[in-house]
Amino acid sequence: PVRLDHDGKVLHSVTGAALLGDHWQALLWLVNTVVARGYTIDAGQLLITGALGAAHPAAPGIWTGDFGMLGTLAIEIV
């Protein structure tokens, strides 16, 4: 489960299944697409499979992403 909060208000809460069924399917699709277009994937490169949940315009306040077992990340926009 992944949750995004802004100033303590939950904006959305979703699971990995929200992205092409699960993250592994999204990653498989991305790798195959990158390779099919003639690119190589080298050690150390990051592939981002996409967003979980809707995009939100930046606004002042404290934004917190809760990534379950992976921990949380908070930033403040002033």
Side-chain angles (χ1 to χ4, degrees), residues 18-40:
L19 187 62
L20 294 178
D22 65 49
H23 280 298
W24 291 113
Q25 288 300 318
L27 181 59
L28 178 61
W29 172 85
L30 182 57
V31 167
N32 287 334
T33 300
V34 168
V35 171
R37 292 184 179 176
Y39 295 97
T40 58

Side-chain angles (χ1 to χ4, degrees), residues 1-5 10-19 23 49-54 56 64-73:
V2 174
R3 188 181 79 230
L4 178 65
D5 299 349
V10 176
L11 298 178
H12 64 261
S13 181
V14 297
T15 66
L19 187 62
H23 280 298
T49 56
L52 290 173
H56 300 277
T64 305
D66 183 340
F67 300 94
M69 294 184 334
L70 297 175
T72 60
L73 174 68

